[in-house]
Amino acid sequence: MTKNSVFIRIRNLVRQIPLGRVSTYGLVAKAANTKSPRVVGWALRGNQDSTLPCHRVVQKGGTISPNYSLGGYLGQRRRLEKEGLKFKGRQIIDFDSFLYRFDRPR
DNA sequence: AAAGTGACGCATT
DNA sequence: TAATGCGCCACTT
């Protein structure tokens, strides 16, 4: 793993997402200056670091990837619900208001 | 050096 | 709706 790699930047960004908020693979990718959202998923794959809230990264419309590596869909959903998020079907209720945008943090 | 591999996203079928 | 296909790009063989 290269020093200062995109992976490192991605993880640092993800750490900035506040509790109870979420971001998306695409937004993180953009903030990390890579055009490929897939790289974000890669950077988080198999994460064991408890200081890295990788469960706060979801897909574009506020849905959870079935490929989340720590418990799959349900594992991630439980973590998010524990932080106060609610779901309607497969998607986060009021997703837009919980979405954390790196360029204009709130 | 070249090919394989994805926790995506978007367009198309 | 769901399924495919493809561009994307950093890492691994």
Side-chain angles (χ1 to χ4, degrees):
Chain A
M1 185 166 311
T2 315
K3 49 176 172 57
N4 264 3
S5 64
V6 183
F7 280 25
I8 300 297
R9 297 204 300 280
I10 289 172
R11 289 194 281 259
N12 286 337
L13 285 164
V14 170
R15 272 185 252 278
Q16 295 175 23
I17 306 173
L19 187 150
R21 306 281 305 275
V22 293
S23 191
T24 70
Y25 297 98
L27 290 179
V28 173
K30 196 173 176 185
N33 198 33
T34 173
K35 293 169 188 170
S36 179
R38 314 186 73 159
V39 174
V40 176
W42 251 6
L44 305 178
R45 175 161 68 97
N47 171 59
Q48 295 300 323
D49 186 349
S50 58
T51 71
L52 211 188
C54 62
H55 56 286
R56 296 179 191 150
V57 181
V58 300
Q59 293 170 137
K60 185 86 191 272
T63 56
I64 293 175
S65 168
N67 302 313
Y68 181 76
S69 67
L70 287 69
Y73 173 84
L74 280 181
Q76 185 170 5
R77 176 165 175 161
R78 296 230 170 86
R79 287 178 187 240
L80 290 177
E81 286 175 331
K82 196 172 180 182
E83 298 190 352
L85 279 82
K86 308 266 178 65
F87 287 76
K88 177 179 184 181
R90 310 194 132 244
Q91 88 163 43
I92 297 171
I93 294 179
D94 210 1
F95 170 65
D96 288 341
S97 63
F98 290 111
L99 179 61
Y100 181 76
R101 296 170 174 80
F102 295 98
D103 43 338
R104 33 177 181 166
R106 281 156 123 267

